[in-house]
C-alpha cells in the first residue's frame, strides 16, 4: 500500500468515510490540480539548487575579485 498513488489513497479514504464515488472523485480531482508529482517536485528542487549554486559561485567570484583588487592596490 505504501507504493500506491497518494491520490488514490485519498480517494479510498474519502470512500471509507462514507462519501459516494462521485464525491470522492470530485475531491481527488480538486487535490490533483495542486498536487505535484515526484518528477515535478524533483525538477523544482533541481532548479532551486542550481540557482543557489549560481548565487554562491557569483558571490565567491565577487569576493575573490575584491580581494585581488585590494592586494594589487597595496602592491602598486
Amino acid at each position: 500500500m505504501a507504493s500506491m498513488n497518494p491520490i488514490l489513497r485519498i480517494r479510498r479514504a474519502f470512500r471509507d468515510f462514507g462519501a459516494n464515488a462521485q464525491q470522492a472523485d470530485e475531491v481527488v480531482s480538486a487535490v490533483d490540480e495542486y498536487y505535484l508529482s515526484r518528477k515535478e517536485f524533483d525538477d523544482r528542487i533541481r532548479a532551486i539548487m542550481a540557482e543557489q549554486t549560481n548565487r554562491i559561485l557569483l558571490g565567491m567570484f565577487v569576493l575573490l575579485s575584491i580581494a585581488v583588487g585590494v592586494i594589487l592596490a597595496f602592491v602598486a
Side-chain angles (χ1 to χ4, degrees):
M1 181 148 159
S3 64
M4 182 185 281
N5 184 343
I7 299 298
L8 295 177
R9 290 175 31 201
I10 292 171
R11 185 182 190 285
R12 179 177 286 176
F14 272 95
R15 292 286 293 163
D16 289 343
F17 283 121
N20 62 32
Q22 183 181 4
Q23 291 170 331
D25 288 339
E26 286 179 33
V27 170
V28 168
S29 66
V31 169
D32 195 30
E33 291 177 16
Y34 298 103
Y35 179 77
L36 293 177
S37 69
R38 167 81 85 202
K39 183 180 180 321
E40 291 170 333
F41 178 76
D42 288 343
D43 290 343
R44 283 189 181 183
I45 293 297
R46 278 192 202 99
I48 291 170
M49 294 301 289
E51 183 179 336
Q52 292 301 318
T53 302
N54 289 341
R55 286 182 181 177
I56 290 170
L57 289 174
L58 180 62
M60 289 175 57
F61 179 71
V62 167
L63 289 175
L64 183 62
S65 299
I66 291 171
V68 168
V70 169
I71 291 171
L72 290 177
F74 281 118
V75 171

